[in-house]
Amino acid sequence: MLLSRRQRWRRWRRSRPFWGGLFAILAGAWICVLPLAPLKIMLQQGVAGIPSVLMGIVMVVLGLTAWFSPPQRALAGVLTTLIATAALVLSNLGGFLIGTLLGILGGGLMFAWQPYAAQRAGGATGAGTGAEPDPAPVPARSAPPPLTPHSDPQGAQP
């Protein structure tokens, strides 16, 4: 039972930009919580705390979007990076630089994540150690069809 839960968790975590989303959520929480001081200080701060809270909430939502809608990861990653950079100016130096750095890291990880990473050649087979014979050569792939002016490599219809 425990092993199957662990396998399900591992499969879920690897099928989406988990670490990028986690860093974005942590950055948003950090930026959002810092201006939430006691009421007396908040009243002195005035409207200056509102952008901090809004940017933090948006970053948390973008991190959750990366988790629960992986096809939107590129947009979420770019927006997270832009908001984290804007927080540097608009929100207590971006949560005293910690929130900005976490946001930029999370946005970059979300943007760079790929759903199916190709395995490295000679990864865990022990190639070159003499323990196993070299594998047979892989036949060359055929070239993709040439692109026409009206074709889209992503498969969208004109």
Side-chain angles (χ1 to χ4, degrees):
M1 182 73 174
L2 179 62
L3 187 60
S4 66
R5 283 184 186 176
R6 182 177 292 166
Q7 288 174 345
R8 282 189 311 216
W9 165 251
R10 183 176 284 169
R11 188 178 315 128
W12 182 85
R13 188 187 63 194
R14 290 181 179 175
S15 67
R16 59 203 71 245
F18 177 77
W19 295 109
L22 181 66
F23 284 131
I25 291 170
L26 290 175
W30 185 262
I31 290 172
C32 188
V33 166
L34 279 181
L36 296 178
L39 184 60
K40 184 177 179 181
I41 297 173
M42 281 295 287
L43 290 176
Q44 291 173 355
Q45 190 176 13
V47 296
I50 293 173
S52 300
V53 174
L54 290 177
M55 284 189 292
I57 290 171
V58 170
M59 286 178 70
V60 168
V61 168
L62 288 171
L64 292 173
T65 299
W67 278 359
F68 296 110
S69 182
Q72 305 301 324
R73 73 187 185 285
L75 178 64
V78 169
L79 288 177
T80 301
T81 304
L82 289 175
I83 291 172
T85 306
L88 189 62
V89 176
L90 298 174
S91 171
N92 298 331
L93 289 176
F96 301 118
L97 293 179
I98 295 171
T100 295
L101 293 176
L102 285 174
I104 291 172
L105 178 66
L109 287 174
M110 281 190 273
F111 186 77
W113 181 82
Q114 293 293 317
Y116 303 107
Q119 293 182 353
R120 295 180 185 171
T125 60
T129 60
E132 297 178 12
D134 290 336
V138 178
R141 293 183 180 174
S142 63
L147 297 177
T148 62
H150 299 289
S151 68
D152 182 13
Q154 303 263 330
Q157 298 296 323

